[in-house]
């Protein structure tokens, strides 16, 4: 209401308007302002707090006293103000800085504070704000007396030489000081000191490359030679396409995550991975014996920073004793050994064990994060061992299909022996519906067939009463043969008729239809003790030919006669076998009247032959897709029809038996002869 403060504020507003060139011409006879007009402020100023408004008022008064009449460009004024306000410590304009490190030195510390901080031992805070210190002679860079420094250095060198003479006379050569190294260090320190002084004194004659990195880092010498990178030999083949000798060290194969479920499969995992270690020339601690990994590591192993190769494997079971033994073996990452609390004996109880399933899925996610690219999962489980574990397997396959639908699921499923209890067949039969819907390839085996091979003297071990360790060794031989081309094979040109072996390649060759995917395995090249002289077979015959012949005609699934069902497709993995020998045995099989092929797939063979110099005897593994699998499916179907399952699982019998009946019908249709002209008839249209 006409107070001095209000008048001063109003007067300040007028001065502000005059400063920006917007003050109107003063009228000749101004009217007397009202009381309300005297206290009214511009909207912009009225929003300011009282303390800031007072500062604005004071600033306007100072501008008026300085005679400011207009401000044409506020942005230019801002730059000038900032440069003038922050230039108390600067000796060079910003565009003349030789590096950003020099610019940082300007506003952070003065040269004097820099050297005072280096020599300070009190432990107080380093440096201070630039504006807190002057820029006089007391802030100048300390002068270095090079003559005094050189004299001190020469004196130290003389002491070292006397010391060395004494030690040489005493024969203590290990205590002799390397004087040349000390001289090199001294010269480098002088260069570093000169570089720091060029920063602090703003000497523009010394141009530094980069941001002062050479103070702490040595510059690497430029590499000579051509600027274009040489061609990389991918997949172990030469530029002409011919395969190289020995396994490649940079095989671009994708990774495979191995999953073992159940006590029996987890117990076999130890033997399986010990075989993998020996094949890749790794010691018991999974470290290379010869200083480098033999073969391709990224297929089954993940390398650690300590030089150890960790298996890409997950082991889960309800048997704590088996899992404790695996932990003591030290082969696997402890985080991948999972032990659950069994919720019940039925298949349904395993499916509803959400806590155990979440633990397994977390482990799966970690495995996928640690790998560059995972092509698929390889399961090993026994469907006739435990119904609860079967439920966990079913639930896991379903979750993997939902979250990782494009990755292959390849299972090695143990089945009940043909002479076993019907309840075991029914137990494994509950898994058939899950395998039919959620797996991409399924390989069957049983313990009876493993025992039969172990007891055989021809393509066997000749052990009449094999123990579990021997049977697990045969299973390891099979898995080693299937994964061998992925770990040691070569990627050959397509005109040679071969591709790099992988899970997707096997799936393409063996799985003609989505539901026709059940395989029968076999192995060749086994030699019983005392039968080494008969391993070659015929005279003047290549060693691998006999191994291929046995692998093509002997299966690892009892109760199935391959000659009673038509063959759909074969995949044969040969290590240490000549390609010609493998092809000759395939030709012999195709001309054998006891073996028939479906007429719509007359060839059905994929052969993966590779040489491994570390292997002295041939090893062959075969996966066969045959209609004879219907014999096993019929046995399981009959066991389910008799309702040989617990009462809580009886509700699922009708669904599973219906699916099994449809699957058997599919095999009958696949094995049926194709009618002549059937395709032409279906493509014709009736004309009226």
């Amino acid at each position: 209401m006409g107070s001095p403060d209000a008048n001063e504020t109003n007067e300040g507003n007028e001065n502000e308007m005059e400063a920006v060139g917007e003050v109107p011409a003063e009228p000749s006879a101004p009217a007397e302002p009202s009381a309300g007009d005297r206290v009214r402020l511009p909207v912009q100023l009225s929003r300011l707090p009282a303390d800031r408004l007072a500062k604005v008022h004071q600033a306007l008064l100072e501008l008026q006293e300085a005679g400011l009449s207009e401000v044409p460009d506020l942005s230019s004024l801002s730059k000038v103000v900032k440069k003038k306000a922050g230039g108390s410590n600067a000796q060079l304009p910003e565009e003349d800085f030789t590096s950003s490190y020099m610019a940082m030195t300007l506003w952070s510390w003065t040269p004097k504070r820099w050297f005072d901080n280096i020599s300070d031992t009190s432990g107080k805070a380093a440096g201070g704000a630039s504006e807190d210190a002057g820029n006089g002679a007391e802030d100048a860079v300390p002068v270095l007396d090079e003559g005094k420094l050189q004299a001190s250095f020469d004196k130290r060198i003389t002491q070292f030489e006397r010391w060395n003479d004494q030690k040489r006379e005493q024969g203590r050569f290990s205590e002799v000081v390397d004087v040349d190294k000390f001289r090199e260090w001294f010269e480098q320190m002088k260069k570093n000191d000169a570089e720091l002084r060029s920063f602090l004194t703003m000497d523009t004659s010394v141009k530094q490359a980069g941001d002062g990195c050479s103070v702490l880092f040595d510059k690497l010498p430029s590499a000579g030679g051509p600027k274009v990178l040489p061609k990389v030999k991918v997949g172990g083949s030469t530029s002409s396409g011919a395969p190289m000798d020995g396994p490649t060290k940079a095989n671009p194969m994708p990774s495979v995550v191995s999953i073992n479920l159940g006590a029996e499969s987890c117990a076999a995992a130890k033997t399986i991975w010990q075989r993998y270690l020996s094949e890749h020339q790794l010691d018991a601690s999974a470290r290379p014996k010869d200083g480098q990994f033999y073969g391709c590591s990224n297929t089954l192993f993940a390398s650690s920073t300590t030089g150890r190769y960790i298996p890409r494997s997950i082991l889960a079971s309800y048997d704590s004793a088996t899992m404790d033994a695996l932990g003591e073996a030290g082969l696997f990452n402890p985080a991948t050994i999972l032990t659950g609390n069994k919720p019940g004996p039925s298949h349904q109880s395993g499916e509803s064990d959400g806590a155990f399933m979440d633990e397994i899925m977390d482990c799966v996610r970690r495995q996928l994060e640690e790998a560059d690219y995972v092509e698929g999962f390889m399961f090993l489980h026994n469907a006739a061992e435990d119904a609860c574990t079967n439920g966990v397997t079913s639930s896991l396959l379903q979750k993997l299909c939902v979250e990782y639908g494009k990755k292959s699921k390849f299972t090695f499923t143990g089945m009940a022996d043909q002479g076993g209890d019907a309840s075991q067949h029914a137990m494994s039969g509950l898994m058939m519906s899950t395998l039919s819907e959620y797996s991409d390839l399924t390989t069957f085996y049983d313990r009876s067939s493993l025992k039969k091979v172990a007891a055989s003297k021809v393509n066997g071990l000749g052990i009449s009463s094999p123990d579990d360790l021997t049977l697990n060794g045969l299973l390891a031989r099979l898995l080693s043969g299937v994964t061998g081309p992925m770990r040691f094979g070569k990627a050959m040109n397509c005109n040679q008729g071969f591709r790099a072996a992988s899970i997707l390649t096997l799936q393409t060759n063996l799985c003609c239809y989505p539901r026709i995917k059940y395989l029968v395995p076999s192995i060749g090249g086994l030699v019983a003790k005392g039968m080494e002289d008969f391993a070659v077979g015929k005279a003047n015959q290549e060693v691998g030919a006999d191994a291929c012949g046995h692998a093509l005609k002997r299966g690892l699934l009892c109760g199935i006669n391959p000659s009673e069902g038509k063959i759909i497709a074969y995949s044969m993995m040969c290590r240490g076998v000549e390609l010609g020998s493998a092809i000759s045995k395939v030709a012999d099989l195709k001309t054998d009247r006891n073996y028939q092929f479906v007429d719509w797939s007359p060839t059905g063979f994929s052969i993966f032959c590779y040489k491994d110099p570390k292997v002295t005897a041939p090893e062959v593994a075969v996966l066969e897709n045959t209609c004879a699998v219907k014999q096993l499916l019929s046995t399981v179907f009959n066991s389910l029809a008799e309702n040989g399952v617990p009462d809580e699982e009886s509700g699922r019998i009708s669904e599973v038996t219906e699916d099994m009946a449809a699957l058997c019908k599919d095999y009958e249709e696949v094995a049926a002869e194709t009618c002549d002209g059937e395709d032409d008839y279906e493509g014709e249209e009736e004309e009226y």
Side-chain angles (χ1 to χ4, degrees), residues 116 140 167 183 225 311 358 396 417 422 438 461 516 577:
D116 289 347
K167 297 304 176 183
R183 287 194 175 95
D358 293 340
L396 180 58
D417 297 338
Y438 298 108
L461 301 179
I516 309 300
V577 178

Side-chain angles (χ1 to χ4, degrees), residues 659-672:
D659 188 37
M660 293 288 295
L663 187 59
C664 292
K665 185 65 175 178
D666 291 342
Y667 271 98
E668 291 179 1
E669 294 177 356
V670 168

Side-chain angles (χ1 to χ4, degrees), residues 447-462:
R447 307 294 284 185
S448 296
S449 60
L450 295 176
K451 293 179 180 178
K452 184 177 180 181
V453 172
S456 176
K457 292 186 177 181
V458 179
N459 192 42
L461 301 179

Side-chain angles (χ1 to χ4, degrees), residues 244-249 275-282 288-296 480 487-488 490 575-577 610-619:
M244 298 170 59
D245 294 334
T248 176
K249 301 297 188 301
R275 182 179 181 87
Y276 289 156
L277 294 179
S278 63
E279 290 177 349
H280 290 289
Q281 305 299 309
L282 301 177
K289 298 179 181 178
D290 300 331
Q292 59 184 359
F293 192 91
Y294 181 76
C296 177
S480 171
R487 298 178 289 124
F488 300 101
K490 312 297 186 298
R575 179 187 303 177
V577 178
Y610 59 99
K611 283 298 189 67
D612 186 357
K614 300 290 184 180
V615 176
T616 57
E619 298 180 4

Side-chain angles (χ1 to χ4, degrees), residues 7 10 14 30-39:
N7 293 333
N10 196 21
E14 294 176 359
E32 183 69 19
S34 61
D37 295 336
R38 292 194 187 101
V39 299

Side-chain angles (χ1 to χ4, degrees), residues 262-300:
E264 181 179 303
S265 299
C266 290
K270 180 180 178 181
T271 305
I272 294 171
W273 283 96
Q274 284 177 344
R275 182 179 181 87
Y276 289 156
L277 294 179
S278 63
E279 290 177 349
H280 290 289
Q281 305 299 309
L282 301 177
D283 57 16
S285 61
R287 289 182 171 84
K289 298 179 181 178
D290 300 331
Q292 59 184 359
F293 192 91
Y294 181 76
C296 177
S297 63
N298 61 329
T299 304
L300 296 178

Side-chain angles (χ1 to χ4, degrees), residues 330-583:
L331 289 176
F332 308 97
N333 183 358
T336 62
I337 302 176
L338 309 176
T339 305
N341 296 321
K342 192 172 184 179
S346 64
H347 190 282
Q348 185 177 1
S349 61
E351 286 184 329
S352 59
D353 191 358
F356 195 32
M357 183 54 53
D358 293 340
E359 191 176 359
I360 297 175
M361 287 301 298
D362 289 340
C363 193
V364 170
R365 295 185 189 98
R366 289 196 300 270
Q367 290 288 343
L368 266 66
E369 291 173 357
E370 294 173 358
D372 294 333
Y373 169 63
V374 173
E375 185 182 39
F377 305 94
M378 183 176 292
F379 285 79
L380 179 62
H381 68 106
N382 192 338
E385 176 188 358
D386 181 35
C388 185
T389 304
N390 289 349
V392 174
T393 306
S394 300
S395 180
L396 180 58
L397 284 172
Q398 295 179 30
K399 287 184 176 293
L400 291 178
C401 285
V402 172
E403 298 191 19
Y404 311 105
K406 293 184 178 181
K407 299 187 182 300
S408 297
K409 274 70 68 177
F410 189 8
T411 68
F412 285 82
T413 304
M415 301 298 291
D417 297 338
Q418 289 297 311
D421 190 0
S423 61
Q424 290 184 339
H425 288 287
M427 184 191 306
S428 58
L430 293 176
M431 277 293 301
M432 297 303 299
S433 179
T434 301
L435 295 175
S436 176
E437 186 173 357
Y438 298 108
S439 71
D440 296 308
L441 279 179
T442 297
T443 302
F444 291 134
Y445 73 93
D446 58 2
R447 307 294 284 185
S448 296
S449 60
L450 295 176
K451 293 179 180 178
K452 184 177 180 181
V453 172
S456 176
K457 292 186 177 181
V458 179
N459 192 42
L461 301 179
I463 303 175
S464 57
S465 299
D467 54 4
D468 292 338
L469 184 61
T470 302
L471 301 183
N472 292 337
L474 292 175
L475 194 58
R477 176 74 173 265
L478 172 63
L479 294 178
S480 171
V482 173
T483 61
M486 309 177 196
R487 298 178 289 124
F488 300 101
K490 312 297 186 298
M492 300 184 182
N493 294 336
C494 58
N495 57 9
Q496 293 179 273
F498 295 95
R499 294 173 291 177
S502 63
I503 293 181
L504 290 178
T505 305
L506 294 176
Q507 181 179 339
T508 302
N509 294 334
L510 293 172
C511 186
C512 55
Y513 298 112
R515 290 171 60 87
I516 309 300
K517 56 188 175 184
Y518 300 105
L519 312 177
V520 177
S522 60
I523 54 179
L526 298 175
V527 180
K529 186 176 181 180
M531 301 291 292
E532 292 82 3
D533 296 337
F534 303 94
V536 176
K538 298 179 181 179
N540 300 325
Q541 180 178 343
E542 198 265 331
V543 179
D546 190 56
C548 293
H550 288 301
L552 288 173
K553 298 184 180 181
R554 298 178 64 90
L556 287 179
L557 191 62
C558 289
I560 290 182
N561 186 2
S563 61
E564 294 182 3
K566 292 185 178 181
I567 299 172
I568 300 174
Y570 263 107
S571 281
M572 184 164 60
M573 285 66 70
C574 306
R575 179 187 303 177
V577 178
E578 296 293 338
L579 180 59
S581 299
I583 294 177

